Amino acid sequence: MSMKPLEFDRRYGELDIVVSAFAGQEPGDPETDTAPAALQAYLRHTWHTRPWALSVAEQQLREYARNPPGRLRQRLGEFYSVPDLGLSESQTQSWLSRTADHIKRSIESGDVPPPTSPQTHWEWHARFGELAQFLGGWFSQDMPEEFADHDAAVRDYGETVDPQLTARLVGEIHELLALGLEDHDYAVGVGELGMEVEPPAEFTVESWLRTVAERLATAVSDHGK
């Protein structure tokens, strides 16, 4: 019998988000006090979006480290299975405690990390969720088979997605452009977010994103009239 969603969130919801931030990343060196890059990404994003969740994460991590699921809970399926971090079971418990310590120090110091461009795959998706939906859903490698061109794909998004989500996408594009990255870094970013085709030949990634934002903002405005 699997755990019901509400109970899962109460026990493991934020723990799961922290662990997800480490997907494809190194768990960190236990001999150093420096938080690993994946945890820095989680702290940076969470401080700026859901600061209240930090104390929840610290509590859930520490509780799991102190009381890992026993045989009964495992047999019933009412537990959270920590994904493979490349660590043994005992090392995983130590890692959970160490990660909780990092979060606790961050909370107690109140040292909010400054905004910066995302540094991990998880952070790109956490920060630009609707843009990831747009790029991964409409500009995957199948895009040339589904749409006549880039404009047709943008038009389809604007016509089929709720205007409130479209407005959110426009805001995320402007937020991304405000980072002031080099075009190579924008290309890396949209690749992290799921874009698998090049922008139209006459555009850089940055100029294409600006054009998309303008078109979709006009579509949202027209819908409200």
Side-chain angles (χ1 to χ4, degrees), residues 58-183:
E58 190 268 345
Q59 177 193 22
Q60 291 184 356
L61 285 159
R62 204 173 298 284
E63 180 63 25
Y64 195 102
R66 290 172 178 164
N67 300 294
R71 293 180 180 177
L72 176 59
R73 282 165 63 192
Q74 291 187 27
R75 186 166 68 249
L76 293 174
E78 296 183 346
F79 75 104
Y80 173 71
S81 180
V82 178
D84 185 10
L85 297 168
L87 304 172
S88 67
E89 183 175 345
S90 62
Q91 288 175 324
T92 297
Q93 301 310 115
S94 297
W95 177 84
L96 290 166
S97 294
R98 189 171 69 252
T99 302
D101 290 340
H102 281 304
I103 295 174
K104 182 180 179 181
R105 281 196 295 271
S106 180
I107 296 170
E108 292 180 340
S109 70
D111 187 14
V112 180
T116 185
S117 59
Q119 301 298 305
T120 68
H121 180 77
W122 176 88
E123 191 176 8
W124 277 106
H125 282 255
R127 184 167 175 181
F128 298 107
E130 190 59 33
L131 183 54
Q133 290 290 329
F134 172 66
L135 295 176
W138 277 261
F139 293 93
S140 70
Q141 62 183 354
D142 297 327
M143 173 263 189
E145 299 175 7
E146 297 177 358
F147 302 104
D149 54 24
H150 291 68
D151 286 346
V154 174
R155 184 167 56 253
D156 181 77
Y157 176 91
E159 292 174 349
T160 59
V161 173
D162 189 286
Q164 295 183 57
L165 294 178
T166 303
R168 182 181 300 170
L169 170 62
V170 172
E172 289 186 5
I173 293 176
H174 284 303
E175 182 179 349
L176 176 58
L177 294 173
L179 295 175
L181 304 178
E182 298 293 331
D183 201 64

